[in-house]
Amino acid sequence: MVLITMAPSMHEFSAPLLSSATSSRSCSISSTSSEADDNSPPTSHRFELRDVATTYEFSCKSLAVLSGHIGSVSCLALCGEFILSASQGKDIIVWQQPDLRQFTKFGQGDGSVKALVAVGNKVFTAHQDSKIRVWKVSTSSENVFKLINTLPTTKDYLGKFMKQSNYVQTRRHHKRLWIEHADSISCLAVYNGLVYSGSWDKTLKVWRISDLKCLESIKAHDDAINNLVACKGIVYSASADGKIKAWGKHGNTSHSLQGILEGHKDVSLNSVTVSEDGKWVYGGGSDGYIMGWEGNANFISWKLVSETKAHHMAVLCMCLIGEVLCSGSADKTIGIWKREAYGKLCKTGVINGHQGPIKCLQASPCNVGNGFLLYSGGLDKTVRVWWVPKRFAI
């Protein structure tokens, strides 16, 4: 017997959300199936996946295409009622939820924005110029996102620049303070009052949110760090050296290496994501594979449990919400996967729509009509919004 999961009818979504496909605004928003007709309803995409014993039907809905960036969209983050998107063109756009209108735009500094995270009333942005900028979110001012500091802070510099022991060799005949990144900052993660930054300089740095002080600098990898994620006291760093490393700390001690999750030989790991309980870790590689590891109860060892050929080209980004894993690829598609027993991944659908590689994904934790909203950003300079079902019928 084959059951078919249908996407929710459009009246099951809230009216403000639906208005994003048809209402007029300064930014360009349209249906992905017919961008020439702005009044066409959001499109339902269906995919049948067959094997010997199982038939799945997957249905998602394209809700909006958000245009406004002058460069490729590099990262996304949720910030309260807003969704933030940043680009290679240095600009950060704030989109109001749920109607998805452009609320404001901010940005400053040299080099493109590589990563951003939001915590409390602050937004941290990582840049190609090796700096982290800190923005305060204020509703009492017209300038809602106000730049308040740059990391490392001037106070941190002044406290360390006089001592030669605070300098490290970054390349031949060149030294920097250990609190400074020597190359582009590619990724950020937030956990338990700390911000973690990973860089192409192969180091992982730890910053305290309360006073913005740099606490640690770790020589983490043999090649560029591409992605970071933190969960259950463990920080995972994915690198072009083909490894995911797990870092932990106990009490007031410094971070130490807890384990190494080995990927395929000579294959860059571009993305890492972890389940809410910390048990399952997934890494996306430049060979199009998603690899899965199971962690033990104490998060001190991990074993490889799955290797899935997910895309024809490199996996560039992933996000995990509940039992649903979403993967974005250089092949311009988004793969939707269900996590099954023993961490195995079962493909439930493929989303098409982007005209270029997909660089970033962000899922909203809020339930919408038995599904969730998925935001995707790509090299086509757009942010696309999708409704994805959480449950799939067999």
Side-chain angles (χ1 to χ4, degrees), residues 282-312:
Y282 295 93
S286 59
D287 59 355
Y289 273 83
I290 296 176
M291 305 182 71
W293 293 267
E294 180 183 5
N296 69 356
N298 298 320
F299 305 116
I300 57 173
S301 67
W302 292 261
K303 65 177 180 180
L304 182 65
V305 294
S306 68
E307 297 179 63
T308 307
K309 180 62 174 176
H311 292 273
H312 299 300

Side-chain angles (χ1 to χ4, degrees), residues 160-169 175-178:
K160 293 182 172 63
F161 85 100
M162 291 292 289
K163 291 184 66 174
Q164 285 299 313
S165 60
N166 286 326
Y167 289 82
V168 294
Q169 192 90 30
K175 290 185 176 182
R176 282 177 177 260
L177 288 172
W178 65 265

Side-chain angles (χ1 to χ4, degrees), residues 285-359:
S286 59
D287 59 355
Y289 273 83
I290 296 176
M291 305 182 71
W293 293 267
E294 180 183 5
N296 69 356
N298 298 320
F299 305 116
I300 57 173
S301 67
W302 292 261
K303 65 177 180 180
L304 182 65
V305 294
S306 68
E307 297 179 63
T308 307
K309 180 62 174 176
H311 292 273
H312 299 300
M313 299 176 71
V315 178
L316 300 180
C317 53
M318 295 187 298
C319 65
L320 188 58
I321 179 165
E323 295 183 346
V324 181
L325 185 146
C326 307
S327 59
S329 171
D331 66 12
K332 308 178 187 178
T333 68
I334 301 170
I336 306 297
W337 309 82
K338 183 178 185 295
R339 191 181 79 240
E340 298 194 325
Y342 310 109
K344 304 289 185 182
L345 294 178
C346 179
K347 194 171 191 177
T348 59
V350 177
I351 298 176
N352 293 281
H354 277 282
Q355 302 304 308
I358 295 158
K359 192 68 176 65

